[in-house]
């Protein structure tokens, strides 16, 4: 994915995420966490948390992994 594609995807995901779409929230948080888009850690975790609360299992798994890394 080139930077133009990522920027387009970010806009699409952000718009949908702000409207409460869990898959978009997950994708936005995951793109930030993988440094494909510029976003602070707190915002990344916030999007993943919202997705997990809406039942997105992959978001929950990432949060659990981050939590276990932080407690070591």
């Amino acid at each position: 994915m080139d930077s133009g594609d990522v920027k387009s995807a970010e806009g699409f995901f952000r718009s949908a995420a702000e409207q409460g779409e869990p898959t978009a929230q997950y994708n936005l948080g995951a793109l930030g966490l993988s440094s494909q888009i510029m976003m602070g850690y707190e915002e990344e975790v916030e999007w993943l948390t919202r997705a997990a609360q809406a039942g997105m299992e992959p978001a929950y798994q990432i949060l659990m992994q981050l939590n276990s890394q932080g407690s070591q």
Side-chain angles (χ1 to χ4, degrees):
M1 196 180 286
D2 70 32
S3 62
D5 290 341
V6 172
K7 202 68 178 159
S8 294
E10 178 184 2
F12 174 78
F13 290 140
R14 187 170 294 278
S15 176
E18 289 170 351
Q19 294 177 40
E21 197 341 275
T23 302
Q25 293 168 340
Y26 167 76
N27 287 333
L28 195 57
L31 282 171
L33 205 56
S34 65
S35 300
Q36 294 184 58
I37 60 175
M38 296 297 294
M39 184 185 301
Y41 182 76
E42 287 181 13
E43 185 180 1
E44 295 160 0
V45 170
E46 174 65 26
W47 286 122
L48 291 169
T49 299
R50 290 184 189 191
Q53 289 172 337
M56 284 289 299
E57 184 65 25
Y60 177 77
Q61 294 298 325
I62 290 173
L63 290 169
M64 293 300 292
Q65 195 172 22
L66 291 173
N67 190 43
S68 70
Q69 290 172 359
S71 62
Q72 292 178 351

